[in-house]
Amino acid sequence: MPTALITGATAGIGAAFARHLAADGFSLVLVARDGERLSAVAEELRLRYGVSSEVLPADLSADEGLEAVEERLRRGVDLLVNNAGFGHGDASSEVSVDEERRMLKVHCEAVLRLTLAALPGMRKRGRGAVINVASVAAFFPQGTYSASKAWVVSFSESMAAELAGSRVRVMALCPGFVRTEFHDRASIDMSGLPGFLWLSADKVVGEAMRDLARGVWVSVPDLRYKVITRIGTLVPHRLAAEVSRRFVRR
């Protein structure tokens, strides 16, 4: 039975990955800060899908948490989903440096360290995959969040290129706006966002897994967001940043 480790597994995209992979027969290692909530998710998956789930409470903004997950990855997994992340409701210039550093720790350092902890075992076995959850925001400069997700995309593409020709894959997943707890937890008012721009977490995960099977390096679920990200890569960065700033302000 293949094993998948998912960070940020208690809600949103992480929970959707857990459901999808459990339905596919994966044994799961669920990682998040809230151990009680993790246990509840693991029990729900056991009852619904009959799969075992290892619970690993860990704060990825702390070295102790990262080291615990690194150690588990070195014991071997078939799929790593680096999904843990968060946002800020204020502009980067209004957020404390400590909070910005915490974001970079979770979005960048954790992705780096956990990916590099998982890959040696995968390469030795000749199979495996890593999905690093980024965002459409990576293509539109808008503060530290966008910058950190742009790094995730670049890092994932670099690893995918390095592993090209092998049976080990690395992919960046860049969803648009997804109906999760993300915006509420960041105190971001999304009431003005048009309904047609919202995606479901299950749809995002389904498309991500299809893209992974196809060997895609950067997965952007949904045609609407494929068009939006394409525009973001073609227009000058200054213009993309201005459009993004006006949209977020509105």
Side-chain angles (χ1 to χ4, degrees):
M1 178 182 294
T3 300
L5 186 148
I6 307 165
T7 68
T10 55
I13 293 173
F17 266 111
R19 292 191 298 270
H20 186 104
L21 295 170
D24 282 349
F26 276 74
S27 175
L28 303 176
V29 182
L30 306 176
V31 179
R33 290 183 299 172
D34 189 334
E36 185 175 337
R37 195 174 182 188
L38 272 177
S39 296
V41 170
E43 178 62 9
E44 179 183 340
L45 293 170
R46 184 188 69 82
L47 292 173
R48 184 172 180 181
Y49 301 103
V51 299
S52 63
S53 297
E54 179 182 340
V55 171
L56 179 53
D59 181 354
L60 299 185
S61 68
D63 282 333
E64 295 83 356
L66 282 171
E67 288 164 6
V69 182
E70 284 176 315
E71 190 278 329
R72 178 59 185 84
L73 288 168
R74 292 189 185 105
R75 287 159 47 196
V77 299
D78 299 283
L79 173 63
L80 165 63
V81 180
N82 277 314
N83 168 73
F86 62 95
H88 291 136
D90 298 318
S92 292
S93 59
E94 299 172 0
V95 177
S96 71
V97 172
D98 285 343
E99 277 299 296
E100 293 286 65
R101 289 177 60 196
R102 188 166 77 91
M103 176 176 283
L104 292 175
K105 184 89 169 180
V106 174
H107 290 184
C108 300
E109 184 177 341
V111 169
L112 171 70
R113 290 173 59 172
L114 300 188
T115 299
L116 296 182
L119 285 179
M122 292 179 180
R123 298 181 78 166
K124 184 176 181 179
R125 293 189 301 275
R127 69 180 189 279
V130 178
I131 298 175
N132 293 323
V133 180
S135 170
V136 163
F139 303 94
F140 295 89
Q142 187 65 42
T144 304
Y145 181 84
S146 294
S148 67
K149 293 304 186 179
W151 181 88
V152 171
V153 173
S154 181
F155 171 70
S156 300
E157 288 185 295
S158 297
M159 289 296 97
E162 184 176 313
L163 294 163
S166 74
R167 294 180 61 194
V168 179
R169 295 175 176 176
V170 178
M171 184 182 81
L173 171 59
C174 299
F177 294 105
V178 184
R179 293 193 184 279
T180 68
E181 299 176 356
F182 178 89
H183 299 98
D184 288 340
R185 294 175 66 179
S187 299
I188 301 173
D189 181 8
M190 300 301 296
S191 59
L193 186 73
F196 72 89
L197 286 177
W198 286 109
L199 302 176
S200 76
D202 290 318
K203 174 181 171 61
V204 166
V205 169
E207 291 201 30
M209 294 304 295
R210 286 191 290 273
D211 282 346
L212 181 67
R214 292 169 48 225
V216 171
W217 288 7
V218 179
S219 171
V220 181
D222 194 87
L223 179 60
R224 290 162 290 186
Y225 283 105
K226 285 180 170 61
V227 172
I228 289 170
T229 54
R230 183 60 175 165
I231 292 172
T233 59
L234 292 176
V235 302
H237 284 184
R238 184 167 180 173
L239 177 58
E242 178 62 18
V243 170
S244 178
R245 184 185 67 84
R246 288 176 180 270
F247 179 80
V248 170
R249 184 176 60 191
R250 183 168 66 248

